[in-house]
Amino acid sequence: MSFRRGVVRQSKFRHVFAQAWKAEHCLDDVRVSRVTWDGPLSAVNPKFIAVIIEAGGGGAFLVVPIGKSGRIDQSCPTVCGHAAPVLDIQWCPHDDNIIASASEDCTVKVWQIPDGGLTSPMTDPIVTLEGHSKRVGILAWHPCAFNILLTAGCDNVVFVWNVGTGELVYQLADAHPDLIYSVGWNKDGSAVCTVCKDKALRIIDPRRGAVREKVHDGTRPMRAVFLADGKILTTGFSRMSERQLALWDAVNLSEPMAVQEMDTSNGVLLPFYDPDTNMVYLCGKGDCTIRYFEVTDESPYVHFLSLYSSKEPQRGAGFLCKRGVDVNKCEIARFYKLHERKVEPISMTVPRKSDLFQGDLYPDTAGLEPALLADEWIAGQDAAPLLISLSGGYAAPPSKHRDTLRSKPKLSSQDSGAGGAATAATVAADEMLSELLAEMKALRAVVLAQNQRIELLERQLARIEDGDV
């Protein structure tokens, strides 16, 4: 009897493993909000962790530096300017100190968090956006245009704001006949995808009002996210109430390209997408697992990689952008899992033996610099995100040769003078070389960022000279 060996799909992410951080690195005594809204309840960037918390007589969220750990004192200052519970929070992709919050009080507020975090309760936002007639539960910053913020509320209306001026620039009042479940921008911010209680997936250009839609089978809440190549990934439920993941071609919504059914749990699957690795992480509200998949260009398109499982269910999760991960440890993603009274970091890591910077794991990623100003996007322009290299955040490990020198036994007394001096000189030279290499990499990252800034300014100047502005 003979057996045919199956062909194993080659992927650098096949062995990604998830690991929770030790207890001393968690945040304890965080009173995570009990609001029934199906949102992540948390937002994370390279500077801060923000978590929506329980608050009496209004709405509040906690903001602490990302390096903080241990017990959160009850007297810790919060952002507490809303008159009703907060439903969603989102950090601005172009300024790590700016965060927007949406609330049941029908308002959206934008806050500026000082470096180092809060020292006193914050009640005064820099901007308040008023226009929704019912509670607001969805926020989505434009990925490329500065100060453009999309909001969606239980009034079934989508607003697009210029946060810099506080003006409402677009309103989509007739596109959705029922409650909106989620809204997501595509890569260059030229369109959004939405899912609604009427079971329809819609692709909308907010500046022109164009709408295309496809109806799903399931009746329970769904989520949708644009992928880097323009495809759309949705999570939802089948007609038999099984949770499923589907991939759609935005050009042809007649049938899904791929469908994967998972289980019959009731929790809504929140998708978190990494455009750099083309991986999707699914966190179910109330689940004890985080599943992760890779999306490719070849059938069956969506490939299950593995899952992280723990004993305690998650209330929500914050997903750290690629600028904040530890490239020295081959960390490609990090979650901040919300327990009932704790925030637990979970790292997704690719095992590698090499000590070198792993460029294939870290392609250039979206930086802080916006590709467009708000007025340029409003006028009809589109542009891809401005990318930066992550190699500047890489620090070379100590030299193995230097470690060998340090572990050598002491020389005999007759050689100790010359030998000791030579060893000390070698160690000093190695340390100086490591410092120079680290400084060169940091300067390279600065130069790349400045070059991108100069190119942006030159494009803007050319448009002004041509009379386009």
Side-chain angles (χ1 to χ4, degrees):
M1 182 181 293
S2 62
F3 295 92
R4 293 184 61 186
R5 179 176 295 177
V7 178
V8 177
R9 187 181 70 90
Q10 295 299 314
S11 170
K12 67 188 94 173
F13 304 115
R14 279 181 57 223
H15 302 293
V16 171
F17 68 94
Q19 187 170 26
W21 290 23
K22 294 181 179 179
E24 58 264 30
H25 298 303
C26 298
L27 292 174
D28 295 311
D29 280 350
V30 178
R31 296 167 294 128
V32 177
S33 173
R34 296 179 179 274
V35 69
T36 56
W37 190 255
D38 285 323
L41 302 180
S42 179
V44 189
N45 70 16
K47 280 188 177 182
F48 300 105
I49 305 169
V51 181
I52 302 174
I53 59 173
E54 286 287 293
F61 59 96
L62 178 74
V63 177
V64 296
I66 196 166
K68 185 174 177 59
S69 60
R71 182 176 176 272
I72 299 296
D73 193 88
Q74 298 299 313
S75 61
C76 181
T78 61
V79 181
C80 50
H82 282 286
V86 176
L87 300 181
D88 195 14
I89 48 177
Q90 294 291 332
W91 289 104
C92 175
H94 305 122
D95 189 330
D96 284 340
N97 294 76
I98 300 295
I99 188 170
S101 59
S103 168
E104 288 189 4
D105 65 9
C106 306
T107 69
V108 173
K109 297 178 185 289
V110 181
W111 315 82
Q112 183 163 10
I113 308 299
D115 285 329
L118 302 178
T119 55
S120 61
M122 181 173 284
T123 57
D124 297 322
I126 55 175
V127 179
T128 298
L129 306 175
E130 298 178 325
H132 287 282
S133 59
K134 293 185 179 180
R135 59 180 180 166
V136 190
I138 297 173
L139 299 169
W141 289 95
H142 194 288
C144 307
F146 190 54
N147 279 341
I148 294 294
L149 176 66
L150 181 149
T151 65
C154 293
D155 50 9
N156 312 334
V157 179
V158 174
F159 287 156
V160 180
W161 307 84
N162 181 347
V163 174
T165 61
E167 294 177 317
L168 174 63
V169 292
Y170 295 109
Q171 177 176 339
L172 301 172
D174 302 322
H176 302 88
D178 212 327
L179 179 66
I180 303 167
Y181 288 138
S182 80
V183 178
W185 293 97
N186 65 353
K187 183 177 181 178
D188 64 0
S190 60
V192 296
C193 62
T194 71
V195 284
C196 176
K197 196 173 182 180
D198 68 348
K199 302 191 291 185
L201 164 66
R202 293 174 173 85
I203 301 173
I204 304 171
D205 183 340
R207 291 169 297 188
R208 299 170 182 84
V211 178
R212 289 184 291 121
E213 63 183 68
K214 164 66 181 177
V215 176
H216 282 256
D217 292 331
T219 57
R220 298 183 58 79
M222 301 173 290
R223 291 293 184 273
V225 59
F226 259 115
L227 305 188
D229 60 1
K231 296 184 180 70
I232 299 174
L233 185 135
T234 60
T235 63
F237 294 79
S238 69
R239 193 170 297 172
M240 303 301 292
S241 294
E242 292 178 309
R243 293 198 296 188
Q244 58 183 200
L245 170 70
L247 183 68
W248 304 82
D249 184 348
V251 178
N252 180 10
L253 294 176
S254 59
E255 292 293 334
M257 298 173 62
V259 176
Q260 286 202 16
E261 295 185 346
M262 279 164 278
D263 53 32
T264 55
S265 176
N266 292 326
V268 175
L269 287 169
L270 304 178
F272 296 91
Y273 173 62
D274 179 2
D276 300 332
T277 60
N278 228 27
M279 287 177 61
V280 177
Y281 304 85
L282 301 186
C283 298
K285 296 292 286 281
D287 287 5
C288 298
T289 60
I290 300 175
R291 296 174 173 87
Y292 35 107
F293 301 78
E294 184 180 5
V295 183
T296 64
D297 294 330
E298 298 178 356
S299 181
Y301 305 109
V302 180
H303 306 272
F304 174 74
L305 294 174
S306 187
L307 61 81
Y308 165 79
S309 183
S310 61
K311 294 181 180 179
E312 296 186 55
Q314 55 234 10
R315 301 280 296 278
F319 186 58
L320 180 63
C321 70
K322 193 58 66 71
R323 291 185 293 110
V325 300
D326 189 345
V327 299
N328 298 288
K329 296 180 179 178
C330 294
E331 182 186 45
I332 60 169
R334 188 188 307 164
F335 285 88
Y336 287 80
K337 175 181 174 178
L338 304 187
H339 298 249
E340 189 171 356
R341 294 185 69 88
K342 183 173 77 171
V343 180
E344 178 185 41
I346 299 170
S347 289
M348 304 288 178
T349 306
V350 177
R352 291 282 174 93
K353 293 182 180 180
S354 173
D355 289 332
L356 300 175
F357 175 72
Q358 303 296 306
D360 63 322
L361 299 181
Y362 302 104
D364 289 355
T365 191
L368 280 173
E369 195 70 34
L372 295 171
L373 300 177
D375 291 340
E376 294 174 326
W377 180 80
I378 294 168
Q381 297 184 42
D382 293 315
L386 297 181
L387 305 181
I388 60 169
S389 171
L390 293 177
S391 61
Y394 172 74
S399 167
K400 293 180 180 178
H401 180 58
R402 186 186 352 163
D403 291 344
T404 303
L405 284 174
R406 286 181 172 175
S407 63
K408 277 187 178 180
K410 290 184 178 180
L411 300 173
S412 58
S413 56
Q414 62 267 30
D415 297 332
S416 59
T423 300
T426 305
V427 169
D430 280 346
E431 290 177 347
M432 184 178 296
L433 179 60
S434 295
E435 290 175 3
L436 286 172
L437 287 172
E439 188 173 349
M440 285 173 62
K441 288 174 180 173
L443 285 172
R444 180 175 179 271
V446 171
V447 170
L448 287 171
Q450 292 301 324
N451 283 341
Q452 292 172 346
R453 175 65 177 163
I454 290 169
E455 290 175 4
L456 174 64
L457 292 173
E458 286 176 343
R459 290 202 302 270
Q460 294 173 1
L461 179 60
R463 286 197 291 269
I464 292 171
E465 290 175 345
D466 294 339
D468 293 340
V469 179

Coordinates of all heavy atoms in Angstrom, one line a residue, residues 146 168 270 439 458:
F146 N -5.9 64.1 6.1 CA -5.8 64.6 7.5 C -7.1 65.2 7.9 O -7.8 66.0 7.2 CB -4.7 65.7 7.5 CG -4.3 66.2 8.8 CD1 -3.9 65.3 9.8 CD2 -4.3 67.6 9.1 CE1 -3.5 65.8 11.1 CE2 -4.0 68.0 10.4 CZ -3.6 67.1 11.3
L168 N -19.5 69.6 8.8 CA -20.0 68.4 8.2 C -19.9 68.6 6.7 O -20.4 69.6 6.1 CB -21.5 68.3 8.5 CG -22.3 67.1 7.8 CD1 -21.7 65.8 8.2 CD2 -23.8 67.2 8.2
L270 N -15.4 40.2 15.4 CA -14.8 41.4 15.1 C -13.6 41.2 14.3 O -12.6 40.5 14.8 CB -14.5 42.2 16.3 CG -15.6 42.5 17.3 CD1 -15.1 43.3 18.5 CD2 -16.7 43.3 16.6
E439 N 22.6 54.3 15.5 CA 22.4 55.8 15.2 C 22.1 55.9 13.7 O 21.3 56.7 13.3 CB 23.6 56.6 15.7 CG 23.3 58.1 15.5 CD 24.4 58.9 16.2 OE1 25.3 58.3 16.9 OE2 24.5 60.1 15.9
E458 N 6.1 69.2 -2.3 CA 6.3 69.6 -3.7 C 5.1 69.3 -4.5 O 4.8 70.1 -5.4 CB 7.5 68.7 -4.2 CG 8.8 69.2 -3.7 CD 10.0 68.3 -4.1 OE1 9.7 67.2 -4.6 OE2 11.2 68.7 -4.1

